[in-house]
Amino acid sequence: MVLHFLVRGRVQGVGFRWFVHREASELELKGWVRNTEDGDVEVVVAGDIEALAELRTSLQKGPRGSRVDKVIEHALAESEGEPLSAFKIEGAW
């Protein structure tokens, strides 16, 4: 399963990308996380349903110092997960 998340709130400048990286890596998920120009955090992730559910819960909480107002989720085509490798943090804007 491949999912796209857009996390809104106070999620930049609080270690949110590093938090997502740690959580996703522990769950052995593939994909990436990055900041957006709009102040959100974007995540594309592939893995099994149970691990994705755990990551979803983590995204809704966020790390200490963050404030998650909304998590927008979309399912992507399985083919979008094929090029994904070990979870990584993509460059900041």
Side-chain angles (χ1 to χ4, degrees):
M1 179 171 235
V2 185
L3 296 176
H4 174 268
F5 293 101
L6 191 63
V7 186
R8 295 201 165 141
R10 183 169 177 251
V11 294
Q12 289 191 13
V14 293
F16 205 95
R17 290 176 300 155
W18 294 100
F19 168 79
V20 175
H21 180 268
R22 185 185 73 233
E23 297 291 316
S25 296
E26 286 178 7
L27 294 168
E28 298 180 2
L29 295 168
K30 296 178 181 181
W32 51 262
V33 59
R34 68 180 174 201
N35 286 341
T36 70
E37 290 179 359
D38 298 332
D40 302 327
V41 170
E42 182 179 23
V43 182
V44 172
V45 63
D48 66 51
I49 293 172
E50 294 82 17
L52 291 170
E54 286 188 49
L55 182 65
R56 180 185 301 111
T57 299
S58 295
L59 291 177
Q60 291 167 341
K61 292 180 185 176
R64 190 181 200 151
S66 70
R67 185 193 74 244
V68 177
D69 294 335
K70 188 174 194 177
V71 177
I72 301 166
E73 177 181 337
H74 295 98
L76 301 176
E78 287 295 319
S79 60
E80 302 224 28
E82 291 170 11
L84 299 176
S85 57
F87 204 87
K88 64 183 178 182
I89 297 172
E90 295 212 332
W93 295 102

